[in-house]
Amino acid sequence: MKDKKLPNALKTDFSRAFLSWRFLLAVFLMFLTWELNSRRFQFKDDVLYLFVHVWRRSTTSLLAMVITSAVYLSSFCEDAENHFLRYAVMRTGVARYVLSKVITCFCSSFLVLFLGTFLFIVCQSFHLPLTAAESITVMNFKPLTCLGWMLPEHILLFLGIQTFLHGLMCGGMCVLALAFSTFIRNSYGVCVMPFLLNYCFSYIVVYFFGYIFTNAPGLRPLFNIEEIYDCVKTYTEHPLLLLSYAVFVTFLFLLTGYAIMYKKLKGEFR
């Protein structure tokens, strides 16, 4: 007889995450973040220009960490605060409970980023071309990216890949924040975790590995979260390496988040 506990747990978590006002609000806030931050740029010759510069030269990337986590990051804390945690764990088991939470947390975060960004691109396309005839952004960044062959002929594919990478980054950070919520256990306190994790991976980790690999500077981008998930200015000339390494790092984030959460709960419900 097949084990139906995990599918049932996923069904419950997915319904809780996606059939709620939080998900719709988060998608709208993600779109609004793109939209409002885009207005600080007076010169904008195409959608590609806004897409690149709004993410890289404003608070969009930082706010995205929080907004995409708002849907399901506090789910564990809410279970604990509402005295539902023990019942849920006893019903499904620690491993299934944690796995369901990790999958739902990642998927909700990824979709919020992807849908919010998609809405922004669609809305801007009514006012601006995707790429101008002589796009300044294409001229500036085409030599810097291993996906330069996509510009400008396959601009939608390029935008889709970069949005996919942004979604992976936000999803990975959300899962790690979820894992640390097992220690904080406050649905409001966990909101600071995405900021702290972003700072840790953007500065502390880069500085630490930069010091270790002083004689091998080419390895430093492999530990910089901003470069791992960036296809506008890439550290490699091989697209497959860029994408596969980003997926691999995301998988490590998910695995680490699962391990931390599982070990913590396993100790409590032994």
Side-chain angles (χ1 to χ4, degrees), residues 211-248:
Y211 178 78
I212 294 177
F213 296 106
T214 304
N215 297 324
L219 295 177
R220 295 180 191 176
L222 298 179
F223 304 98
N224 188 334
I225 191 172
E226 294 180 355
E227 296 193 42
I228 291 172
Y229 296 102
D230 187 11
C231 74
V232 176
K233 184 179 179 182
T234 59
Y235 60 88
T236 177
E237 298 179 356
H238 305 285
L240 184 60
L241 175 61
L242 176 74
L243 297 176
S244 59
Y245 185 65
V247 172
F248 172 72

Side-chain angles (χ1 to χ4, degrees), residues 180-211:
F180 287 113
S181 72
T182 58
F183 298 92
I184 299 175
R185 301 206 173 185
N186 183 287
S187 54
Y188 297 102
V190 295
C191 294
V192 302
M193 287 307 303
F195 280 113
L196 294 178
L197 288 172
N198 180 75
Y199 178 83
C200 177
F201 283 101
S202 297
Y203 298 98
I204 299 177
V205 173
V206 174
Y207 177 82
F208 176 75
F209 284 101
Y211 178 78

Side-chain angles (χ1 to χ4, degrees), residues 39-56:
R39 297 187 179 183
R40 64 185 290 251
F41 297 96
Q42 298 299 321
F43 173 82
K44 39 190 176 183
D45 59 341
D46 52 27
V47 175
L48 179 62
Y49 178 91
L50 286 180
F51 180 82
V52 171
H53 291 279
V54 170
W55 183 271
R56 300 169 73 94

Side-chain angles (χ1 to χ4, degrees), residues 5 8 35 46 51 107 111 145 156 168 187 196 200 202 204 227 230 248 253 255 269:
K5 290 185 178 180
N8 289 338
E35 182 66 26
D46 52 27
F51 180 82
C107 291
L111 284 176
T145 173
L156 286 177
L168 291 182
S187 54
L196 294 178
C200 177
S202 297
I204 299 177
E227 296 193 42
D230 187 11
F248 172 72
F253 287 155
L255 187 62
F269 292 94

